[in-house]
Amino acid sequence: MDNLSRRLLQASCAVALSATVAAPAQAQSTRKDLKTGNKFFEQENYRAALPYYEKVLAKDPNNAKALFNAGISYMSFDKEKASDYIYKAQKLKPKVSKDVEYWLGRVDHLNYNFDEAVAHFQAYNATLKKNDQRKEELAQLIQHSKNAKVQFNSPKDIFVKNLGPTINTQYSEHSPVISSDDKLLIFTSRGENVTGAAGKPSDKKNKAIAADGEYYEDIFESRRIDDENWEKPRSLSGVLNGKGHDASTQLFDNDTKLLMYRNDNNGDIFVSDKSGGDWSVPKPLDSNINSKSYEGDAYITPDGKTIYFATGRYSEDGTLDLYYSTRAEGGDFGPAKSLGANINTKYDDDSPYLSKDGKTLYFSSRGHNTMGGYDIFKSEWDSVGRKWGAAQNMGYPVNTPDDDSYYRLSPDGSYAYLSSYRIGGYGEKDIYTINYIKNANIRGKVFSAQDSTTVIPGVELVFSGAQADKTALSFRDITKPDGSYQVAVLSGRTYQVAVSKDGKNIETQEFPVPVSTNDSTTITKNFYVKYIDTTSVGMFATKNIYFDTDKYKLRPESITTLNEISSILTANPGIVISIEGHCDSRNTDEYNMVLGDNRAKAAFNYLKKQGITETRMSTVSYGERRPAAPNDSPENMQLNRRDEFKVVGGMPTTGTMNNGTGTTGMGSTTTTGTTTTTTRTSAPLVPGKSKVKMADGTKVKTKVDEDSDKVKVKTKGPSGETKTTTKNGELEGKAKDANGEKTKIKAKND
């Protein structure tokens, strides 16, 4: 806790104690609980103070002072609850404390409300006198919130994962040390299983209790079960753990030596050797490293010749700086040297760690452009200038508004461990892994949604997303002849996938890609789209069949054409066609409507025998009303005695209505004059909309309602317009030809 916070706590506690004495109207038990809570609060033993404040609040929920002090206490364990309590206290009693604006700024900062935090800090600053020493610290807190806002709004594509409840507890876990095979984790805990823990931290008889009311730190080890799980931790109490704080620092020399911390002599660095199956009695490093001041964390290079360590020895106020020392083979470490102004600040700089190649230094600092508390920084070695380069903040979400420290790379350098107190943890500091989000290989095929089996080649797939900092991402591929595609996309986000063909968008789908922390992840994703192969559709424009005068018998050449049409329909099972019967003008209009109907049915029946299901075909007669040529010569009249084939939409071959009670479908519809008969056959429809543009420019729109009980089809082209609606077995339609002649259709399926 910083000095300003500590001074304010002491002042707050004094007010709380006086408030307790001045409230004789309160029940005796409430006064006693509040007094006990304030006593622990004054000692900064917040875990012990909280149960007493909660007892007060259970009886008096609007006790502003209990809320206020409990809120400050919760800052070490539950940031969100801390905010709720302090804000409620201030609402109940605006002047619950003269420092309330300060504490509102603190909890807002910890809860990522950076603008609000700055406003509270500035409001508090306005209450201070010009020469108040707190102004300097307050200026730093304001800068922390500004730094945090910048980092938070420019996040890195990093996946932060908690090691889970086997390792982490409601108490503090930190200082992860990983073996060279990545299978053994040594770490430090202040949990209930530490040496000498005989009860709760508030138990005065408990020998494991430190001055702050928390358990002493002990060293534990756990073996990896798999990528996700660890064995129950085992205490390395024995010779490693002393009577006070003991913390893990580094395994080195092929995992045969352990660098560690003990709070002997105000905190020193020790080393223990592993002989047989256990560790030897730790020995302190020489006086060039350890001193009467605090020495905490350290790192020894693989060759054992250089040590980097944190010490308060050389600063006037005891703040930590980073130093290094070298030694000859088998000798002691020599005089320490500072890592320089690019690393050390006037605030605490701690927890050094080097990459395997020795070119990158990672460390924790309360200075530089921290987001608040300790942040992880890195610095690159300048081989020309022979010094460490400028410190770079590792950014969010590696760092948070609270303390983040003890950054340690995995043996292969592909990810890292760190200790952090962040929202969503198990309580106080937890150990996390830091993984850079990698690409995932997405592959699959694009199918027609009409039958879910027809692949569509030549489809362009564009995956559009964004990096964590909102920089746009785009990945593209085109389906091969077998309908397959493959793209490598940055994982851990949702993509909008635009599906198009021949430059025209078919549809856009949303596809969430889970986080992948390695480049070998492969995900299969097939796309089913509402698409009709217009290349095949266009072929129908040249596949008319023709008839003799006053006949509807199929000619031999018509059989050949119908076989070709059958092949197209078989290869494209999603296509639905309309067969249009036409005549010349040699007979009456009524006669020709019937003749046109017979001609359309002749083709319909033949295709049906070839295996084309009835649900994919409908028939309509136009008689002499839509001539292809003037009826002024035998040759032109032959052109008018014809069947035409038009694509009118798509239909699946399987499926049911949403209510599960039946199916609907398209069948054979015949229009004769003003009388319409409909042959309706059952077939399922998929809810949604589709659009098709024919070779002659005719546009066909189909809409199927949610429950598939209503189907609308609209066509518009050179030959006219039609609108049909099918609902509950009834069909209604309107048609208008190119000359403006209108026809109404109404039929019921009995």
Side-chain angles (χ1 to χ4, degrees):
M1 180 170 289
D2 56 63
N3 293 331
L4 176 55
S5 301
R6 187 168 284 107
R7 292 199 301 272
L8 293 176
L9 280 172
Q10 292 168 350
S12 176
C13 187
V15 174
L17 287 170
S18 63
T20 305
V21 175
Q26 288 182 318
Q28 180 67 29
S29 61
T30 301
R31 290 201 305 270
K32 183 178 179 182
D33 288 336
L34 188 58
K35 183 177 180 180
T36 305
N38 289 338
K39 180 182 177 182
F40 285 121
F41 184 86
E42 185 180 15
Q43 298 168 355
E44 298 184 19
N45 188 348
Y46 307 121
R47 192 183 294 277
L50 278 170
Y52 293 97
Y53 288 135
E54 289 295 0
K55 286 181 182 180
V56 174
L57 294 171
K59 301 169 187 176
D60 182 9
N62 293 330
N63 189 309
K65 199 58 195 179
L67 281 165
F68 183 71
N69 282 10
I72 295 172
S73 300
Y74 271 121
M75 287 173 62
S76 298
F77 315 109
D78 189 331
K79 306 176 200 297
E80 292 167 297
K81 184 175 281 190
S83 179
D84 292 342
Y85 276 40
I86 296 176
Y87 264 97
K88 184 177 179 181
Q90 190 254 0
K91 185 177 181 181
L92 288 168
K93 189 177 181 181
K95 295 184 179 180
V96 63
S97 166
K98 64 179 181 179
D99 304 315
V100 66
E101 287 291 342
Y102 167 83
W103 291 107
L104 288 172
R106 288 291 305 275
V107 294
D108 272 337
H109 177 83
L110 293 176
N111 284 282
Y112 295 81
N113 301 317
F114 305 121
D115 290 337
E116 292 86 344
V118 170
H120 286 303
F121 288 140
Q122 289 173 338
Y124 183 68
N125 188 55
T127 68
L128 303 178
K129 294 180 180 180
K130 280 188 177 181
N131 59 350
D132 196 316
Q133 293 182 351
R134 289 176 290 180
K135 279 184 171 289
E136 182 181 350
E137 292 183 51
L138 208 60
Q140 185 193 21
L141 292 174
I142 290 172
Q143 189 59 51
H144 286 174
S145 289
K146 292 180 178 180
N147 295 342
K149 183 178 179 180
V150 171
Q151 297 291 349
F152 181 72
N153 289 329
S154 304
K156 312 295 184 190
D157 271 302
I158 289 171
F159 180 55
V160 181
K161 185 178 180 182
N162 193 296
L163 253 59
T166 301
I167 301 298
N168 294 313
T169 70
Q170 61 177 306
Y171 302 96
S172 179
E173 280 74 39
H174 60 86
S175 302
V177 173
I178 194 73
S179 62
S180 56
D181 62 3
D182 205 9
K183 293 181 179 180
L184 177 68
L185 175 70
I186 296 178
F187 66 99
T188 303
S189 174
R190 301 190 74 175
E192 295 174 306
N193 296 320
V194 302
T195 304
K200 296 180 180 179
S202 58
D203 185 355
K204 294 180 181 179
K205 296 181 180 179
N206 197 328
K207 296 181 180 180
I209 303 304
D212 60 1
E214 298 284 321
Y215 292 117
Y216 281 115
E217 296 170 325
D218 270 5
I219 301 173
F220 291 79
E221 71 173 10
S222 176
R223 292 198 172 272
R224 185 189 296 280
I225 297 174
D226 52 39
D227 289 344
E228 303 291 330
N229 300 288
W230 297 86
E231 291 180 352
K232 181 180 178 181
R234 179 177 74 94
S235 174
L236 297 179
S237 51
V239 292
L240 280 190
N241 292 332
K243 295 180 180 180
H245 292 299
D246 305 282
S248 47
T249 300
Q250 181 195 0
L251 277 171
F252 66 104
D253 200 4
N254 295 320
D255 298 342
T256 62
K257 291 182 173 63
L258 176 67
L259 208 60
M260 59 174 287
Y261 163 86
R262 269 190 176 180
N263 66 341
D264 296 13
N265 196 30
N266 202 31
D268 278 349
I269 300 169
F270 287 70
V271 64
S272 173
D273 295 318
K274 196 167 190 178
S275 56
D278 214 341
W279 295 98
S280 66
V281 176
K283 297 178 181 179
L285 298 185
D286 62 58
S287 59
N288 281 327
I289 308 301
N290 291 321
S291 69
K292 293 181 180 180
S293 298
Y294 175 88
E295 280 78 38
D297 213 349
Y299 174 84
I300 290 181
T301 55
D303 61 11
K305 294 181 179 180
T306 306
I307 185 172
Y308 296 79
F309 64 103
T311 178
R313 182 181 198 171
Y314 304 100
S315 63
E316 294 181 2
D317 57 358
T319 55
L320 298 177
D321 286 323
L322 293 179
Y323 280 72
Y324 75 99
S325 174
T326 58
R327 66 177 174 185
E329 190 73 34
D332 289 336
F333 286 106
K337 297 179 182 179
S338 172
L339 289 187
N342 281 344
I343 305 300
N344 292 320
T345 66
K346 66 177 182 178
Y347 305 102
D348 288 324
D349 304 290
D350 197 2
S351 192
Y353 183 85
L354 264 68
S355 60
K356 187 175 290 187
D357 61 9
K359 295 180 180 179
T360 305
L361 170 71
Y362 299 92
F363 65 101
S364 303
S365 177
R366 296 182 187 271
H368 301 291
N369 60 330
T370 173
M371 291 178 67
Y374 276 114
D375 271 10
I376 309 295
F377 292 84
K378 71 175 181 178
S379 173
E380 305 294 337
W381 176 250
D382 178 0
S383 58
V384 177
R386 304 294 297 171
K387 64 180 181 179
W388 290 103
Q392 305 170 47
N393 192 302
M394 295 284 284
Y396 177 82
V398 172
N399 293 316
T400 69
D402 212 320
D403 285 333
D404 307 283
S405 54
Y406 308 108
Y407 187 89
R408 301 290 186 264
L409 290 171
S410 65
D412 64 1
S414 64
Y415 68 99
Y417 295 83
L418 92 162
S419 178
S420 178
Y421 174 32
R422 59 184 68 204
I423 292 173
Y426 291 93
E428 293 195 67
K429 287 186 176 69
D430 280 352
I431 298 174
Y432 294 81
T433 54
I434 299 292
N435 290 268
Y436 283 89
I437 295 176
K438 302 294 184 66
N439 283 347
N441 299 306
I442 314 298
R443 65 185 182 188
K445 293 186 176 183
V446 177
F447 295 93
S448 168
Q450 309 298 335
D451 60 0
S452 302
T453 58
T454 301
V455 298
I456 310 176
V459 172
E460 182 183 49
L461 298 165
V462 179
F463 289 70
S464 299
Q467 294 180 13
D469 62 3
K470 297 182 174 59
T471 302
L473 291 171
S474 184
F475 305 92
R476 171 185 175 275
D477 196 20
I478 296 177
T479 56
K480 309 300 184 292
D482 64 352
S484 65
Y485 76 94
Q486 181 168 328
V487 292
V489 305
L490 189 62
S491 66
R493 67 216 65 234
T494 296
Y495 287 91
Q496 301 297 317
V497 186
V499 185
S500 61
K501 185 170 169 62
D502 301 325
K504 297 179 181 179
N505 180 263
I506 301 173
E507 60 185 70
T508 299
Q509 296 187 17
E510 197 172 75
F511 178 45
V513 179
V515 169
S516 171
T517 56
N518 60 71
D519 286 321
S520 62
T521 299
T522 297
I523 300 171
T524 299
K525 169 62 178 176
N526 294 325
F527 289 90
Y528 299 86
V529 298
K530 297 175 182 177
Y531 173 77
I532 295 175
D533 189 347
T534 54
T535 303
S536 298
V537 170
M539 294 177 65
F540 289 138
T542 61
K543 295 194 179 299
N544 295 347
I545 61 173
Y546 298 93
F547 298 89
D548 294 336
T549 302
D550 201 25
K551 303 290 184 184
Y552 54 88
K553 181 180 179 181
L554 297 174
R555 296 173 175 176
E557 63 270 22
S558 297
I559 298 296
T560 301
T561 301
L562 288 170
N563 287 336
E564 293 175 2
I565 292 173
S566 175
S567 297
I568 293 173
L569 293 174
T570 300
N572 297 274
I575 294 177
V576 176
I577 65 169
S578 171
I579 306 171
E580 301 177 352
H582 298 269
C583 306
D584 60 28
S585 60
R586 292 186 180 183
N587 215 317
T588 66
D589 179 67
E590 290 79 5
Y591 182 89
N592 284 333
M593 290 298 289
V594 174
L595 180 58
D597 174 41
N598 288 332
R599 287 173 174 170
K601 283 183 176 178
F604 179 96
N605 291 331
Y606 182 85
L607 291 172
K608 180 180 175 182
K609 290 179 180 178
Q610 300 306 304
I612 307 303
T613 179
E614 293 181 22
T615 58
R616 298 179 60 199
M617 300 181 290
S618 63
T619 61
V620 62
S621 173
Y622 289 106
E624 61 184 79
R625 298 178 183 181
R626 293 188 178 182
N631 287 288
D632 55 5
S633 68
E635 291 78 17
N636 282 348
M637 286 186 176
Q638 174 63 90
L639 292 176
N640 291 333
R641 297 192 299 270
R642 71 195 189 281
D643 275 352
E644 291 186 5
F645 303 87
K646 300 285 183 67
V647 175
V648 295
M651 182 178 297
T653 56
T654 60
T656 60
M657 291 172 60
N658 288 350
N659 59 20
T661 59
T663 59
T664 62
M666 297 179 65
S668 175
T669 303
T670 303
T671 303
T672 307
T674 58
T675 304
T676 303
T677 59
T678 304
T679 303
R680 194 79 176 162
T681 57
S682 291
L685 297 172
V686 175
K689 298 179 181 179
S690 64
K691 296 181 181 180
V692 179
K693 187 174 182 181
M694 315 297 292
D696 64 354
T698 299
K699 296 179 180 179
V700 181
K701 296 182 180 180
T702 305
K703 179 181 179 183
V704 182
D705 278 5
E706 186 73 23
D707 295 326
S708 301
D709 62 350
K710 186 177 181 180
V711 181
K712 291 183 179 180
V713 180
K714 295 182 180 180
T715 68
K716 185 175 182 180
S719 58
E721 302 177 17
T722 66
K723 295 181 181 180
T724 62
T725 301
T726 305
K727 184 175 181 181
N728 297 327
E730 295 186 1
L731 181 145
E732 292 187 3
K734 296 179 181 179
K736 182 170 70 173
D737 63 19
N739 297 321
E741 184 177 348
K742 298 179 180 179
T743 303
K744 289 186 177 181
I745 304 169
K746 190 169 184 179
K748 185 174 183 180
N749 181 21
D750 296 324

